[in-house]
Amino acid sequence: MGKSNKLFVLCATATVVLTGCGSLTADSDSKSEDVGYHISRDVEKNEATWALATDPYHGNESIELTTHAEELITSDCMKKRGLDLPVRMDLSAPRSESQPSNNGTTVFSIDLAQKYGYHYAPNPQDKLEQAITEAGGDLYKSKDENFHKNWNECVDIARKKVSPGTKPGAEKSLDELDDESNTIGSQLNRLHVDYASTPSLVQSGKQWRECMAPLGIAGLPEYPWDPGNRPPDQILSLLPGFESQVGKPSAEEIRIATRDAKCRDSSKWTHNLYEAEWDLHKKFVDQHKSDLEPILVSYEKQGNRALAVIKQMQGGAQ
């Protein structure tokens, strides 16, 4: 399964969501407060959450903390200017059933299909999820220029406080991107299992299609799709009301998705894919542990800065 961002976007402009973007610099953490934030290097194998050995090196938890710290400051800044911008995320709430861990993977099971079809389960951490859905994806579209001007200014203030040494994301030339294509981080992001060269997945894919045959869907893909992505056109053609993976499923969607989930289970597609991905990612970590360690150290410093700000804001100290 691949990584998806669902509703908690981690790097975007202020007009979409409050975020922490930029790249850590070597000296940006020199004055950060150590509040004991630590990233475990050990990952316990768990198919239900799609845990992979490389999960710590994506830094999703520290990024979530950074996003939340900036969100708290931004909301407070707007309040002081007489404008209302509620804090969106509650990291103390349970995670979405569709994304049970912070590794960004969307899971798909018979139980989830029976309840939500191909839609994401509600995200209890996102306090504005329903309001944003009802607003068509943009809760602040109707706000005036003054609101957005102040919002952007408050986001800049928040970023400078939470990540004082970050550099805003900048466009890079193709040559620069090519030069970075072999970095350890780039290699990490490009890890993927080749279905066609993995015998267990070739067999599972065949069994999955055979199991799906009674639905009479022509032109099904050779392999099941990633549940973090929209269903393919062959499925969507049977679901005319399907617009996005956020919302409520139809009875027909639940029927098709449940059959799909049962076929993935009986063909052992989900299990075999997890085993293949686990082996690939575990091997990568074992081979590159010393190269990956500086990435973790940077994320730990980032997380410490963010957690210190969160404690400060929640304690009432500005």
Side-chain angles (χ1 to χ4, degrees), residues 24-75:
L24 286 171
T25 60
D27 60 352
S28 64
D29 54 309
S30 58
K31 295 182 181 180
S32 63
E33 178 183 348
D34 188 347
V35 292
Y37 176 72
H38 174 74
I39 300 174
S40 175
R41 274 66 172 163
D42 300 318
V43 177
E44 184 176 347
K45 194 174 182 181
N46 187 333
E47 183 176 324
T49 62
W50 217 262
L52 298 173
T54 52
D55 286 348
Y57 305 97
H58 290 287
N60 287 344
E61 185 175 68
S62 62
I63 294 172
E64 283 182 355
L65 289 172
T66 299
T67 299
H68 189 53
E70 294 181 357
E71 189 178 24
L72 289 172
I73 294 174
T74 303
S75 179

Short mmCIF file of all heavy atoms in Angstrom, two decimals, residues 24-75:
data_model
loop_
_atom_site.label_atom_id
_atom_site.label_comp_id
_atom_site.label_asym_id
_atom_site.label_seq_id
_atom_site.Cartn_x
_atom_site.Cartn_y
_atom_site.Cartn_z
N LEU A 24 15.07 21.69 7.13
CA LEU A 24 15.89 21.97 8.29
C LEU A 24 17.31 22.30 7.87
O LEU A 24 17.90 21.65 7.02
CB LEU A 24 15.92 20.73 9.21
CG LEU A 24 14.65 20.45 10.01
CD1 LEU A 24 14.76 19.10 10.69
CD2 LEU A 24 14.42 21.53 11.05
N THR A 25 17.89 23.32 8.50
CA THR A 25 19.28 23.63 8.25
C THR A 25 20.12 23.10 9.39
O THR A 25 19.61 22.80 10.47
CB THR A 25 19.49 25.15 8.14
OG1 THR A 25 19.10 25.76 9.37
CG2 THR A 25 18.64 25.73 7.02
N ALA A 26 21.39 22.98 9.18
CA ALA A 26 22.27 22.35 10.17
C ALA A 26 22.29 23.07 11.50
O ALA A 26 22.42 22.45 12.55
CB ALA A 26 23.69 22.28 9.60
N ASP A 27 22.16 24.41 11.50
CA ASP A 27 22.28 25.15 12.74
C ASP A 27 20.95 25.67 13.26
O ASP A 27 20.89 26.42 14.22
CB ASP A 27 23.25 26.33 12.58
CG ASP A 27 22.77 27.30 11.50
OD1 ASP A 27 21.79 26.96 10.81
OD2 ASP A 27 23.38 28.36 11.36
N SER A 28 19.83 25.26 12.65
CA SER A 28 18.54 25.82 13.03
C SER A 28 18.08 25.35 14.40
O SER A 28 17.18 25.93 14.98
CB SER A 28 17.49 25.45 12.00
OG SER A 28 17.28 24.06 11.96
N ASP A 29 18.69 24.27 14.93
CA ASP A 29 18.23 23.71 16.18
C ASP A 29 19.10 24.12 17.36
O ASP A 29 18.95 23.61 18.46
CB ASP A 29 18.24 22.19 16.08
CG ASP A 29 19.61 21.68 15.66
OD1 ASP A 29 20.15 22.20 14.66
OD2 ASP A 29 20.14 20.80 16.32
N SER A 30 20.04 25.02 17.18
CA SER A 30 21.03 25.31 18.20
C SER A 30 20.43 25.83 19.49
O SER A 30 20.98 25.61 20.56
CB SER A 30 22.04 26.34 17.64
OG SER A 30 21.37 27.52 17.24
N LYS A 31 19.26 26.50 19.41
CA LYS A 31 18.67 27.06 20.60
C LYS A 31 17.35 26.38 20.96
O LYS A 31 16.57 26.89 21.73
CB LYS A 31 18.43 28.56 20.41
CG LYS A 31 19.72 29.37 20.24
CD LYS A 31 19.42 30.85 20.10
CE LYS A 31 20.71 31.65 19.92
NZ LYS A 31 20.43 33.11 19.78
N SER A 32 17.11 25.21 20.37
CA SER A 32 15.86 24.52 20.61
C SER A 32 15.86 23.91 22.01
O SER A 32 16.88 23.51 22.53
CB SER A 32 15.62 23.43 19.56
OG SER A 32 16.61 22.45 19.64
N GLU A 33 14.67 23.84 22.59
CA GLU A 33 14.52 23.29 23.93
C GLU A 33 14.33 21.78 23.84
O GLU A 33 13.50 21.30 23.07
CB GLU A 33 13.32 23.92 24.62
CG GLU A 33 13.06 23.37 26.01
CD GLU A 33 11.82 23.97 26.64
OE1 GLU A 33 11.31 24.97 26.10
OE2 GLU A 33 11.36 23.43 27.66
N ASP A 34 15.09 21.02 24.62
CA ASP A 34 14.95 19.57 24.63
C ASP A 34 13.88 19.19 25.65
O ASP A 34 14.07 19.33 26.85
CB ASP A 34 16.28 18.91 24.99
CG ASP A 34 16.23 17.40 24.83
OD1 ASP A 34 15.12 16.86 24.69
OD2 ASP A 34 17.29 16.75 24.85
N VAL A 35 12.73 18.75 25.14
CA VAL A 35 11.64 18.36 26.03
C VAL A 35 11.46 16.85 26.03
O VAL A 35 10.41 16.33 26.41
CB VAL A 35 10.33 19.06 25.63
CG1 VAL A 35 10.41 20.55 25.88
CG2 VAL A 35 9.98 18.77 24.17
N GLY A 36 12.48 16.15 25.57
CA GLY A 36 12.47 14.69 25.66
C GLY A 36 11.80 13.98 24.51
O GLY A 36 11.47 12.79 24.62
N TYR A 37 11.60 14.66 23.38
CA TYR A 37 10.99 14.00 22.23
C TYR A 37 11.99 13.03 21.61
O TYR A 37 13.13 13.39 21.32
CB TYR A 37 10.54 15.03 21.20
CG TYR A 37 9.99 14.40 19.93
CD1 TYR A 37 8.75 13.77 19.94
CD2 TYR A 37 10.71 14.42 18.75
CE1 TYR A 37 8.25 13.18 18.80
CE2 TYR A 37 10.21 13.84 17.60
CZ TYR A 37 8.98 13.22 17.63
OH TYR A 37 8.50 12.63 16.49
N HIS A 38 11.56 11.80 21.40
CA HIS A 38 12.45 10.77 20.86
C HIS A 38 11.70 9.91 19.86
O HIS A 38 10.54 9.58 20.06
CB HIS A 38 12.97 9.89 22.00
CG HIS A 38 13.77 8.71 21.55
ND1 HIS A 38 15.06 8.84 21.06
CD2 HIS A 38 13.47 7.38 21.48
CE1 HIS A 38 15.52 7.63 20.73
NE2 HIS A 38 14.58 6.75 20.97
N ILE A 39 12.36 9.57 18.77
CA ILE A 39 11.79 8.69 17.75
C ILE A 39 12.41 7.31 17.90
O ILE A 39 13.63 7.16 17.82
CB ILE A 39 12.06 9.22 16.33
CG1 ILE A 39 11.45 10.61 16.15
CG2 ILE A 39 11.48 8.26 15.29
CD1 ILE A 39 11.80 11.24 14.82
N SER A 40 11.59 6.32 18.13
CA SER A 40 12.09 4.96 18.27
C SER A 40 12.64 4.46 16.93
O SER A 40 12.02 4.65 15.88
CB SER A 40 10.98 4.03 18.75
OG SER A 40 11.43 2.69 18.77
N ARG A 41 13.79 3.83 17.00
CA ARG A 41 14.39 3.26 15.78
C ARG A 41 13.78 1.89 15.46
O ARG A 41 13.97 1.37 14.36
CB ARG A 41 15.89 3.10 15.96
CG ARG A 41 16.73 4.32 15.61
CD ARG A 41 16.49 5.48 16.55
NE ARG A 41 17.44 6.58 16.32
CZ ARG A 41 17.28 7.80 16.76
NH1 ARG A 41 16.18 8.11 17.44
NH2 ARG A 41 18.18 8.73 16.53
N ASP A 42 13.10 1.29 16.40
CA ASP A 42 12.56 -0.06 16.23
C ASP A 42 11.10 0.00 15.82
O ASP A 42 10.30 0.72 16.42
CB ASP A 42 12.70 -0.86 17.52
CG ASP A 42 14.15 -0.99 17.96
OD1 ASP A 42 15.01 -1.23 17.09
OD2 ASP A 42 14.42 -0.84 19.17
N VAL A 43 10.75 -0.76 14.80
CA VAL A 43 9.36 -0.83 14.33
C VAL A 43 8.88 -2.27 14.47
O VAL A 43 9.53 -3.19 13.97
CB VAL A 43 9.24 -0.39 12.86
CG1 VAL A 43 7.81 -0.54 12.37
CG2 VAL A 43 9.71 1.05 12.69
N GLU A 44 7.76 -2.45 15.15
CA GLU A 44 7.19 -3.77 15.31
C GLU A 44 6.32 -4.10 14.10
O GLU A 44 5.48 -3.30 13.69
CB GLU A 44 6.33 -3.83 16.58
CG GLU A 44 5.77 -5.21 16.87
CD GLU A 44 5.03 -5.27 18.18
OE1 GLU A 44 5.15 -4.31 18.98
OE2 GLU A 44 4.31 -6.27 18.41
N LYS A 45 6.54 -5.26 13.54
CA LYS A 45 5.79 -5.68 12.36
C LYS A 45 4.30 -5.76 12.69
O LYS A 45 3.90 -6.39 13.66
CB LYS A 45 6.32 -7.03 11.89
CG LYS A 45 5.89 -7.45 10.49
CD LYS A 45 6.58 -8.74 10.09
CE LYS A 45 6.21 -9.16 8.67
NZ LYS A 45 6.87 -10.43 8.30
N ASN A 46 3.47 -5.11 11.88
CA ASN A 46 2.04 -5.07 12.16
C ASN A 46 1.29 -4.80 10.86
O ASN A 46 1.25 -3.68 10.37
CB ASN A 46 1.73 -3.98 13.19
CG ASN A 46 0.29 -4.02 13.66
OD1 ASN A 46 -0.60 -4.45 12.95
ND2 ASN A 46 0.06 -3.55 14.87
N GLU A 47 0.70 -5.83 10.32
CA GLU A 47 -0.01 -5.70 9.04
C GLU A 47 -1.24 -4.80 9.18
O GLU A 47 -1.59 -4.08 8.25
CB GLU A 47 -0.43 -7.08 8.53
CG GLU A 47 -1.11 -7.06 7.17
CD GLU A 47 -1.42 -8.45 6.66
OE1 GLU A 47 -0.62 -9.38 6.90
OE2 GLU A 47 -2.48 -8.61 6.02
N ALA A 48 -1.89 -4.81 10.33
CA ALA A 48 -3.12 -4.04 10.52
C ALA A 48 -2.88 -2.54 10.37
O ALA A 48 -3.75 -1.82 9.88
CB ALA A 48 -3.72 -4.33 11.89
N THR A 49 -1.70 -2.07 10.79
CA THR A 49 -1.37 -0.65 10.65
C THR A 49 -0.40 -0.40 9.50
O THR A 49 -0.01 0.74 9.26
CB THR A 49 -0.75 -0.11 11.94
OG1 THR A 49 0.47 -0.81 12.21
CG2 THR A 49 -1.70 -0.28 13.12
N TRP A 50 0.00 -1.45 8.82
CA TRP A 50 0.95 -1.38 7.70
C TRP A 50 2.28 -0.76 8.15
O TRP A 50 2.89 0.06 7.47
CB TRP A 50 0.39 -0.61 6.52
CG TRP A 50 0.80 -1.20 5.20
CD1 TRP A 50 1.82 -0.76 4.41
CD2 TRP A 50 0.24 -2.34 4.55
NE1 TRP A 50 1.93 -1.55 3.29
CE2 TRP A 50 0.96 -2.53 3.34
CE3 TRP A 50 -0.79 -3.21 4.84
CZ2 TRP A 50 0.66 -3.56 2.45
CZ3 TRP A 50 -1.08 -4.23 3.95
CH2 TRP A 50 -0.37 -4.39 2.78
N ALA A 51 2.73 -1.19 9.32
CA ALA A 51 4.00 -0.69 9.86
C ALA A 51 5.16 -1.20 9.01
O ALA A 51 5.23 -2.38 8.66
CB ALA A 51 4.17 -1.15 11.30
N LEU A 52 6.07 -0.29 8.66
CA LEU A 52 7.26 -0.64 7.86
C LEU A 52 8.50 -0.15 8.58
O LEU A 52 8.47 0.85 9.30
CB LEU A 52 7.16 -0.02 6.47
CG LEU A 52 5.99 -0.48 5.60
CD1 LEU A 52 5.93 0.35 4.32
CD2 LEU A 52 6.10 -1.97 5.28
N ALA A 53 9.60 -0.83 8.35
CA ALA A 53 10.84 -0.50 9.05
C ALA A 53 11.34 0.91 8.73
O ALA A 53 12.10 1.50 9.51
CB ALA A 53 11.93 -1.52 8.68
N THR A 54 10.91 1.46 7.61
CA THR A 54 11.34 2.80 7.21
C THR A 54 10.48 3.91 7.80
O THR A 54 10.78 5.09 7.63
CB THR A 54 11.32 2.93 5.67
OG1 THR A 54 10.02 2.51 5.21
CG2 THR A 54 12.40 2.08 5.02
N ASP A 55 9.40 3.56 8.49
CA ASP A 55 8.47 4.58 8.99
C ASP A 55 9.13 5.71 9.79
O ASP A 55 8.81 6.89 9.56
CB ASP A 55 7.37 3.94 9.84
CG ASP A 55 6.36 3.18 9.00
OD1 ASP A 55 6.37 3.34 7.76
OD2 ASP A 55 5.56 2.41 9.59
N PRO A 56 10.03 5.41 10.72
CA PRO A 56 10.63 6.50 11.51
C PRO A 56 11.34 7.54 10.66
O PRO A 56 11.39 8.72 11.03
CB PRO A 56 11.62 5.77 12.42
CG PRO A 56 11.12 4.37 12.50
CD PRO A 56 10.54 4.09 11.15
N TYR A 57 11.87 7.13 9.52
CA TYR A 57 12.71 8.01 8.71
C TYR A 57 11.91 8.97 7.83
O TYR A 57 12.49 9.82 7.16
CB TYR A 57 13.68 7.17 7.87
CG TYR A 57 14.48 6.22 8.73
CD1 TYR A 57 14.10 4.89 8.90
CD2 TYR A 57 15.59 6.68 9.44
CE1 TYR A 57 14.81 4.03 9.72
CE2 TYR A 57 16.31 5.83 10.27
CZ TYR A 57 15.91 4.51 10.40
OH TYR A 57 16.60 3.66 11.25
N HIS A 58 10.59 8.84 7.84
CA HIS A 58 9.74 9.81 7.15
C HIS A 58 9.38 10.97 8.07
O HIS A 58 8.87 12.00 7.60
CB HIS A 58 8.48 9.13 6.62
CG HIS A 58 8.73 8.19 5.47
ND1 HIS A 58 9.03 8.63 4.20
CD2 HIS A 58 8.75 6.84 5.41
CE1 HIS A 58 9.21 7.59 3.40
NE2 HIS A 58 9.05 6.49 4.11
N GLY A 59 9.58 10.81 9.37
CA GLY A 59 9.39 11.91 10.32
C GLY A 59 7.97 12.42 10.42
O GLY A 59 7.75 13.57 10.79
N ASN A 60 6.97 11.56 10.13
CA ASN A 60 5.59 12.05 10.11
C ASN A 60 5.13 12.61 11.45
O ASN A 60 4.39 13.59 11.50
CB ASN A 60 4.65 10.93 9.66
CG ASN A 60 4.76 10.65 8.18
OD1 ASN A 60 5.31 11.45 7.43
ND2 ASN A 60 4.28 9.51 7.75
N GLU A 61 5.55 11.98 12.54
CA GLU A 61 5.10 12.46 13.85
C GLU A 61 5.67 13.84 14.16
O GLU A 61 4.94 14.72 14.64
CB GLU A 61 5.51 11.47 14.95
CG GLU A 61 4.97 11.86 16.32
CD GLU A 61 5.28 10.83 17.38
OE1 GLU A 61 6.47 10.67 17.72
OE2 GLU A 61 4.35 10.18 17.87
N SER A 62 6.95 14.04 13.90
CA SER A 62 7.53 15.35 14.17
C SER A 62 6.94 16.42 13.25
O SER A 62 6.79 17.58 13.63
CB SER A 62 9.06 15.31 14.03
OG SER A 62 9.45 14.98 12.71
N ILE A 63 6.58 16.02 12.04
CA ILE A 63 5.94 16.95 11.12
C ILE A 63 4.54 17.31 11.63
O ILE A 63 4.12 18.46 11.57
CB ILE A 63 5.86 16.36 9.70
CG1 ILE A 63 7.27 16.20 9.12
CG2 ILE A 63 5.03 17.25 8.77
CD1 ILE A 63 7.34 15.45 7.81
N GLU A 64 3.82 16.31 12.14
CA GLU A 64 2.50 16.59 12.72
C GLU A 64 2.62 17.56 13.90
O GLU A 64 1.81 18.47 14.05
CB GLU A 64 1.86 15.28 13.21
CG GLU A 64 1.29 14.42 12.11
CD GLU A 64 0.62 13.17 12.65
OE1 GLU A 64 0.70 12.94 13.88
OE2 GLU A 64 0.03 12.43 11.87
N LEU A 65 3.64 17.36 14.75
CA LEU A 65 3.84 18.25 15.90
C LEU A 65 4.16 19.67 15.42
O LEU A 65 3.66 20.65 15.97
CB LEU A 65 4.97 17.71 16.78
CG LEU A 65 4.66 16.44 17.58
CD1 LEU A 65 5.93 15.92 18.24
CD2 LEU A 65 3.58 16.70 18.61
N THR A 66 4.99 19.76 14.39
CA THR A 66 5.35 21.07 13.85
C THR A 66 4.12 21.77 13.28
O THR A 66 3.88 22.96 13.52
CB THR A 66 6.42 20.92 12.74
OG1 THR A 66 7.60 20.34 13.31
CG2 THR A 66 6.77 22.27 12.13
N THR A 67 3.32 21.02 12.52
CA THR A 67 2.09 21.56 11.96
C THR A 67 1.17 22.07 13.06
O THR A 67 0.61 23.17 12.98
CB THR A 67 1.36 20.49 11.13
OG1 THR A 67 2.19 20.07 10.05
CG2 THR A 67 0.04 21.01 10.58
N HIS A 68 1.02 21.27 14.11
CA HIS A 68 0.11 21.64 15.19
C HIS A 68 0.62 22.86 15.97
O HIS A 68 -0.16 23.74 16.33
CB HIS A 68 -0.07 20.46 16.15
CG HIS A 68 -1.15 20.67 17.17
ND1 HIS A 68 -2.43 21.03 16.84
CD2 HIS A 68 -1.12 20.57 18.53
CE1 HIS A 68 -3.16 21.15 17.94
NE2 HIS A 68 -2.40 20.88 18.98
N ALA A 69 1.94 22.90 16.21
CA ALA A 69 2.51 24.05 16.91
C ALA A 69 2.27 25.34 16.12
O ALA A 69 1.88 26.37 16.68
CB ALA A 69 4.01 23.84 17.13
N GLU A 70 2.49 25.28 14.83
CA GLU A 70 2.26 26.46 13.98
C GLU A 70 0.78 26.82 13.94
O GLU A 70 0.42 28.01 13.92
CB GLU A 70 2.80 26.20 12.58
CG GLU A 70 4.32 26.05 12.54
CD GLU A 70 4.85 25.82 11.15
OE1 GLU A 70 4.03 25.73 10.21
OE2 GLU A 70 6.08 25.74 10.99
N GLU A 71 -0.06 25.81 13.96
CA GLU A 71 -1.50 26.04 13.94
C GLU A 71 -1.95 26.77 15.21
O GLU A 71 -2.76 27.70 15.15
CB GLU A 71 -2.22 24.71 13.81
CG GLU A 71 -3.70 24.83 13.55
CD GLU A 71 -4.37 23.47 13.39
OE1 GLU A 71 -3.82 22.47 13.91
OE2 GLU A 71 -5.44 23.43 12.79
N LEU A 72 -1.42 26.36 16.36
CA LEU A 72 -1.78 27.00 17.63
C LEU A 72 -1.37 28.47 17.64
O LEU A 72 -2.14 29.35 18.05
CB LEU A 72 -1.10 26.26 18.79
CG LEU A 72 -1.64 24.87 19.12
CD1 LEU A 72 -0.73 24.20 20.16
CD2 LEU A 72 -3.07 24.94 19.64
N ILE A 73 -0.15 28.74 17.18
CA ILE A 73 0.33 30.12 17.15
C ILE A 73 -0.48 30.96 16.16
O ILE A 73 -0.84 32.10 16.44
CB ILE A 73 1.83 30.16 16.77
CG1 ILE A 73 2.66 29.50 17.87
CG2 ILE A 73 2.30 31.60 16.55
CD1 ILE A 73 4.13 29.36 17.52
N THR A 74 -0.75 30.38 15.00
CA THR A 74 -1.50 31.11 13.98
C THR A 74 -2.91 31.46 14.47
O THR A 74 -3.38 32.59 14.29
CB THR A 74 -1.60 30.29 12.69
OG1 THR A 74 -0.28 29.97 12.22
CG2 THR A 74 -2.33 31.06 11.60
N SER A 75 -3.58 30.50 15.09
CA SER A 75 -4.92 30.75 15.61
C SER A 75 -4.89 31.84 16.68
O SER A 75 -5.75 32.73 16.70
CB SER A 75 -5.49 29.45 16.20
OG SER A 75 -6.78 29.66 16.74
#
